[in-house]
Amino acid sequence: MFAYVALVTALMFCAVMVMRAARLLRAALWLAIVSLCVSLILYALGAPQVAALELSIGAGLVTVLIVLAISIAGDDALSAPPVVPRWTALGLTAAALLAFAAAVLPPAAIDIAQAPAQDSAVPLTFGAVLWQARLPDILLQVALMFVGLLTVLGLLADSHESAQAETHTPALDIAQEGTPAPLIEDEIEHAELEAV
Amino acid sequence: MDVLTPAFVAVLILVGIGFYGLLALRNLFKVIMALQLLVKGALVALVMGGTVSGQAALGQSLAVTVIAADTMVAAVGLALAIQVKRRYGTLDLKALAKLNG
């Protein structure tokens, strides 16, 4: 029991620190610790495969992506007041949580627990459900990963080309100011003739 | 104490803080992190719901799907944030909302 209380307390502390950290890099590291706590909770819930996946992707890959993005875009802290007033946001959050808890907590949860337990006479394993019953999900995930990768590559390639254009334009301007354009074309033609 | 109670509290904490972050934060990177917290809460809720309803494998397989989708959302969101920073020079959502065009 003490371990669970400590785990949930650590989770809450790290999640609050993600919101309150002044630097983005520290917030990313706090988010990685939140992922670690979540994977421990998943393991305690009897889902070791999901816990391992969350630990490797949530705490590993996503953290690396966030740190990479921060290193490209810069770690400038914003100390401006929030868009929605703080008390309005807190009230909306509390209302949403109360509605969620009212929908999930007993006696509704007991009804949900009793209904499907009678149907599943033979308990299916995680692998059987994942690879047979939920095969469309797997195919959708593969398609989603390709689409996501293409999107990221497209976004970053566009930025690379625009950055190249930005860096090349001043050099061209200087070259055109120094020597007239026809001279440059003549030099290129001479170079091509010499190459042939 | 059963593991379901702390898991439920963890779901409430993650969903609450993530929802508040989506509403209140102004930095685009911080908003993506708040979204990550929200999805982690949904992840724990899926596994917990599967365990409670006696269909643990179904909940876990859906959680795997959520992890994959969430990773792609984070990657695309971060790439978009980099583009926004390069083009407009800021990550402040309020300043971005005032831009014309």
Side-chain angles (χ1 to χ4, degrees):
Chain A
M1 177 182 172
F2 175 73
Y4 290 149
V5 173
L7 189 59
V8 172
T9 309
L11 176 75
M12 185 169 68
F13 177 74
C14 296
V16 170
M17 287 307 290
V18 170
M19 298 290 111
R20 291 185 60 87
R23 293 187 60 190
L24 292 174
L25 205 57
R26 289 187 182 175
L29 296 180
W30 283 117
L31 187 66
I33 303 175
V34 169
S35 273
L36 175 67
C37 295
V38 166
S39 67
L40 285 176
I41 290 173
L42 291 173
Y43 185 78
L45 278 170
Q49 294 98 340
V50 185
L53 208 61
E54 169 64 22
L55 192 63
S56 58
I57 291 182
L61 179 63
V62 173
T63 306
V64 169
L65 284 176
I66 292 176
V67 170
L68 188 68
I70 291 171
S71 71
I72 292 174
D75 188 358
D76 49 346
L78 281 173
S79 58
V83 181
V84 180
R86 199 176 297 274
W87 288 107
T88 310
L90 278 175
L92 283 173
T93 305
L97 286 183
L98 279 177
F100 175 66
V104 170
L105 281 180
I110 293 173
D111 294 339
I112 293 170
Q114 284 176 352
Q118 298 167 352
D119 300 337
S120 58
V122 181
L124 292 170
T125 60
F126 171 67
V129 170
L130 186 65
W131 293 109
Q132 292 169 14
R134 308 303 301 176
L135 191 60
D137 283 357
I138 298 288
L139 298 177
L140 195 66
Q141 283 177 46
V142 174
L144 187 70
M145 284 183 189
F146 272 115
V147 171
L149 280 176
L150 288 177
T151 309
V152 171
L153 285 177
L155 284 170
L156 294 180
D158 180 28
S159 69
H160 186 61
E161 282 172 7
S162 64
Q164 270 186 347
E166 285 173 6
T167 53
H168 279 304
T169 308
L172 278 177
D173 289 340
I174 291 169
Q176 285 174 357
E177 283 174 7
T179 54
L183 280 181
I184 295 176
E185 288 174 2
D186 288 341
E187 285 174 7
I188 292 171
E189 285 175 3
H190 279 300
E192 286 174 357
L193 285 174
E194 284 174 7
V196 171
Chain B
M1 189 167 71
D2 197 4
V3 68
L4 290 175
T5 308
F8 185 68
V9 175
V11 169
L12 287 182
I13 289 171
L14 286 171
V15 171
I17 294 178
F19 192 70
Y20 174 78
L22 280 184
L23 283 175
L25 292 176
R26 285 178 64 164
N27 193 319
L28 209 49
F29 279 136
K30 281 279 187 79
V31 170
I32 293 173
M33 290 182 201
L35 194 64
Q36 289 283 313
L37 286 180
L38 198 64
V39 173
K40 284 183 204 310
L43 190 74
V44 178
L46 271 177
V47 175
M48 194 183 72
T51 306
V52 167
S53 65
Q55 293 178 325
L58 180 62
Q60 293 176 19
S61 63
L62 288 178
V64 170
T65 308
V66 168
I67 289 177
D70 174 50
T71 309
M72 280 303 114
V73 166
V76 174
L78 289 169
L80 278 172
I82 291 172
Q83 283 297 311
V84 165
K85 173 72 175 176
R86 280 189 174 157
R87 286 179 190 267
Y88 301 114
T90 181
L91 287 171
D92 188 2
L93 285 178
K94 201 165 186 176
L96 288 171
K98 287 180 182 172
L99 289 173
N100 294 324

